[in-house]
């Protein structure tokens, strides 16, 4: 098949015949709109023999055509076809030209292809009108009637059709290799999985004015940690009127983490009537798949701060890379996290809401040979047990901390199902067994013994080299994973048997 890319401007090949033997091809192209048509002339051997651009009405001409046999391609509005209304070179009509002939080749352009989407709810079977669709992920065409939407103006060929919910109550899909034929309607039947959605509005508490461009994240009580995907523009930021819809959520119980970025307001967990620094005191939102949940209005307070110095407990010297954070974080630079890079061990958490917060202390370079053991305020081993610290409004609250190397290490012993020792690259993520908070990552570049976790009970997720599969120690997910009880008096051995990758 000769593809549309061959339709480039080229000069007529010189005729091997005398001028009086040359022929002419003319014609008229009928199309659905005014505009020029590109007409490409090829020999039946597939060699380009010329190009003409029609008038806006569709008239074209090839003068001085050498006698022979040809095939003709017509391009309009991004669509290409062959005479007469054929979609490939091999099936195109052969045009025979004799010396001195005036051959007329008229053509009618095929209409664009159409995709007609018929959408139903995967649970109820009822038509779904609240969806958007397109062959690009943006922009979309939105709004169906009786579950039916027609996408228009396609050229031919396989395409990927993207579908997403306009109200957040169904999961998005990408349907690949949808066959589209010019002039025809392709029916696409889809079933949409129902999801939950949360809507709310964010305002300034003092003025009641809406606050735009604020990140609002729906997090379960066990969420692991914030990361680079927690706040995403176009996904979970408020609009100019302070409104936001958190879409396509699995049905579950959620709390809202609200993160302003204007330098004026402070971070908060959203409560029923105001902000709080503890997720465990936040408003719990019970969501149902297929039904919207309206959360209480979020009222932002001015930013407050906590500052201090992180020191070595044995020497009293400042820990130059000491960090403080109010949220478990999977990234080095996270929301509500600050590290001291000046070398004097100081930190400042400056964008907190004026509430009581749990504070986690650690050191930035946790992959050092003998890392410090992180701890929560009040010398707690987890966030739920932490002492809450009031962030200062007019001046920062001072909170110093000391860290030790007091360890509760564990060693990984990894084998295949047949008992052979695994020696490839291997990484683990450690989570607190009570709160689900992310604690630490490590991999075999640091050895098979993991340091710096401290005395706590943990669940472990592991990632081996391909084709071995990732998994949780003792379970299918966090909830069913084994609880590993770490000890300060000895190294615990964690045995992991990798399932057969086949």
């Amino acid at each position: 098949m000769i593809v549309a890319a061959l339709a480039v401007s080229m000069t007529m090949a010189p005729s091997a015949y005398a001028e009086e033997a040359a022929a002419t091809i003319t014609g008229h192209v009928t199309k659905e709109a005014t505009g020029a048509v590109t007409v490409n002339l090829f020999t039946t051997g597939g060699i380009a023999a010329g190009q003409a651009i029609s008038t806006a009405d569709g008239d074209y001409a090839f003068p001085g055509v050498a006698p022979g046999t040809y095939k003709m391609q017509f391009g309009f509005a991004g669509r290409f076809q062959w005479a007469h209304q054929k979609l490939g070179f091999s099936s195109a009509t052969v045009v025979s030209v004799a010396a001195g002939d005036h051959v007329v080749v008229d053509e009618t352009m095929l209409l664009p292809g159409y995709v007609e989407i018929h959408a139903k709810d995967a649970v109820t079977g009822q038509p779904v009108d609240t969806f958007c669709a397109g062959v690009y992920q943006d922009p979309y065409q939105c709004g169906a009637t009786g579950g039916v939407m027609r996408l228009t103006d396609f050229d031919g060929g396989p395409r990927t059709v993207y579908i997403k919910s306009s109200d957040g109550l169904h999961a998005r899909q990408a349907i690949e290799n949808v066959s589209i034929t010019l002039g025809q309607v392709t029916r696409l039947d889809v079933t949409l999985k129902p999801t939950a959605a949360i809507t709310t509005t964010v305002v300034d508490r003092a003025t009641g004015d809406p606050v735009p461009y604020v990140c609002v994240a729906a997090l379960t009580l066990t969420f692991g940690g914030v990361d680079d995907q927690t706040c995403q523009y176009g996904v979970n930021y408020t609009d100019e009127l302070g409104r936001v819809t958190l879409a396509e959520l699995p049905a579950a119980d959620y709390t809202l983490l609200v993160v302003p970025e204007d330098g004026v307001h402070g971070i908060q967990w959203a409560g029923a009537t105001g902000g709080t620094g503890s997720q465990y005191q936040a408003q719990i939102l019970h969501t149902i798949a297929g039904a919207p949940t309206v959360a209480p209005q979020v009222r932002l307070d001015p930013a407050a701060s906590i500052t201090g110095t992180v020191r070595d407990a044995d020497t009293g010297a400042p820990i130059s890379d000491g960090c403080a954070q109010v949220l478990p974080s999977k990234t080095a630079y996270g929301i509500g996290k600050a590290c001291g890079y000046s070398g004097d061990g100081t930190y400042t958490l400056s964008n907190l809401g004026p509430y009581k917060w749990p504070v986690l202390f650690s050191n930035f370079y946790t992959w050092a040979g003998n890392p410090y053991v992180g701890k929560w305020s009040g010398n707690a081993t987890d966030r739920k047990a932490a002492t809450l610290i009031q962030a200062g409004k007019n001046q920062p609250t001072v909170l110093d901390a000391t860290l030790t190397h007091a360890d509760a290490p564990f060693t990984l012993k990894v084998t295949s199902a047949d008992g052979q020792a695994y020696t490839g690259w291997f990484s683990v993520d450690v989570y607190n067994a009570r709160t689900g908070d992310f604690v630490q990552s490590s991999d075999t570049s640091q050895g098979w013994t993991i340091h710096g976790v401290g005395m706590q009970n943990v669940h472990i997720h592991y990632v081996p080299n391909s084709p071995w599969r990732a998994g949780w120690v003792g379970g299918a997910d966090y909830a069913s994973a084994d609880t590993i009880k770490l000890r300060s008096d000895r190294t615990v051995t964690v045995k992991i048997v990798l399932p057969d990758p086949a």
Side-chain angles (χ1 to χ4, degrees):
M1 173 180 176
I2 304 298
V3 296
L6 292 177
V8 297
S9 180
M10 56 190 73
T11 306
M12 295 293 300
S15 174
Y17 294 83
E19 186 174 344
E20 62 271 14
T24 301
I25 300 176
T26 64
H28 177 80
V29 183
T30 301
K31 47 201 170 28
E32 76 273 15
T34 299
V37 178
T38 300
V39 187
N40 296 303
L41 188 66
F42 294 89
T43 69
T44 50
I47 299 173
Q51 183 182 81
I53 306 298
S54 80
T55 65
D57 290 334
D59 296 322
Y60 73 92
F62 284 99
V65 179
T69 54
Y70 297 91
K71 294 189 176 186
M72 301 180 67
Q73 185 190 52
F74 301 85
F76 178 71
R79 311 188 307 269
F80 287 85
Q81 66 188 57
W82 299 82
H84 290 292
Q85 295 191 330
K86 305 298 183 182
L87 299 180
F89 177 85
S90 61
S91 61
T93 300
V94 175
V95 178
S96 298
V97 177
D101 274 358
H102 177 196
V103 178
V104 177
V105 180
D106 294 332
E107 181 72 356
T108 298
M109 295 299 298
L110 292 167
L111 292 174
Y114 299 88
V115 175
E116 190 172 86
I117 301 170
H118 294 248
K120 292 184 178 180
D121 184 282
V123 174
T124 67
Q126 294 300 306
V128 177
D129 290 343
T130 52
F131 71 90
C132 304
V135 294
Y136 303 100
Q137 295 190 53
D138 188 38
Y140 286 93
Q141 176 180 319
C142 298
T145 301
V148 179
M149 174 192 294
R150 178 172 286 193
L151 303 178
T152 60
D153 294 329
F154 289 104
D155 52 7
R159 305 296 289 270
T160 299
V161 176
Y162 298 92
I163 299 174
K164 71 173 184 178
S165 169
S166 58
D167 59 5
L169 296 178
H170 289 91
R172 67 187 60 206
Q173 291 188 37
I175 299 98
E176 298 179 342
N177 297 316
V178 178
S179 180
I180 301 172
T181 304
L182 293 180
Q184 296 183 18
V185 176
T186 298
R187 176 170 172 145
L188 186 61
D189 290 293
V190 297
T191 55
L192 302 178
K193 179 183 177 181
T195 57
I198 299 172
T199 61
T200 191
T201 303
V202 179
V203 302
D204 180 280
R205 175 186 288 278
T207 66
D209 293 336
V211 184
Y213 316 120
V214 176
C215 166
V216 182
L219 300 174
T220 59
L221 285 175
T222 302
F223 66 92
V226 294
D227 57 25
D228 294 337
Q229 302 301 308
T230 301
C231 294
Q232 301 180 66
Y233 284 104
V235 176
N236 63 336
Y237 276 76
T238 57
D239 63 14
E240 293 82 357
L241 298 178
R243 302 170 303 190
V244 66
T245 296
L246 309 178
E248 300 178 54
L249 301 172
D253 290 346
Y254 291 96
T255 54
L256 298 184
L257 176 66
V258 185
V259 186
E261 299 175 359
D262 57 7
V264 175
H265 299 96
I267 298 171
Q268 68 168 249
W269 290 100
T273 59
T276 177
S278 171
Q279 183 187 18
Y280 304 111
Q281 298 173 4
Q283 175 80 11
I284 296 178
L285 303 172
H286 308 283
T287 64
I288 301 172
T293 299
V294 179
Q297 187 181 66
V298 176
R299 299 177 176 90
L300 296 180
D301 292 301
S305 56
I306 299 174
T307 191
T309 304
V310 184
R311 299 179 181 276
D312 184 295
D314 296 325
T315 67
I319 299 173
S320 61
D321 65 336
C323 298
Q325 62 197 76
V326 296
L327 299 166
S329 176
K330 292 184 176 181
T331 58
Y333 307 94
I335 300 167
K337 182 175 183 177
C339 295
Y341 303 110
S342 59
D344 60 1
T346 60
Y347 73 90
T348 299
L349 294 165
S350 58
N351 61 337
L352 305 178
Y355 322 118
K356 293 182 177 181
W357 292 88
V359 183
L360 172 65
F361 297 98
S362 62
N363 67 306
F364 185 83
Y365 295 106
T366 57
W367 56 86
N370 188 21
Y372 289 97
V373 176
K375 67 177 182 180
W376 289 89
S377 46
N379 291 320
T381 57
D382 63 55
R383 183 164 55 110
K384 186 173 287 188
T387 298
L388 301 181
I389 307 300
Q390 176 69 52
K393 289 190 253 185
N394 298 319
Q395 67 180 59
T397 297
V398 177
L399 180 65
D400 297 329
T402 59
L403 298 179
T404 73
H405 296 286
D407 211 353
F410 61 92
T411 294
L412 303 174
K413 182 178 180 181
V414 185
T415 64
S416 59
D418 60 1
Q420 298 297 311
Y422 175 88
T423 58
W425 179 86
F426 198 82
S427 73
V428 293
D429 289 335
V430 183
Y431 295 83
N432 183 273
R434 186 163 82 129
T435 65
D437 290 353
F438 174 80
V439 177
Q440 183 178 306
S441 287
S442 187
D443 61 51
T444 46
S445 66
Q446 303 167 58
W448 291 91
T449 299
I450 313 302
H451 293 276
V453 176
M455 273 289 295
Q456 57 186 303
N457 296 336
V458 299
H459 292 179
I460 297 174
H461 182 263
Y462 60 84
V463 180
N465 265 336
S466 178
W468 303 96
R469 298 190 297 274
W472 291 87
V473 175
D477 51 23
Y478 169 84
S480 61
D482 286 346
T483 296
I484 311 297
K485 298 181 178 181
L486 302 182
R487 299 172 59 101
S488 59
D489 59 337
R490 62 181 175 84
T491 299
V492 172
T493 299
V494 178
K495 297 180 180 180
I496 301 174
V497 178
L498 298 176
D500 187 341

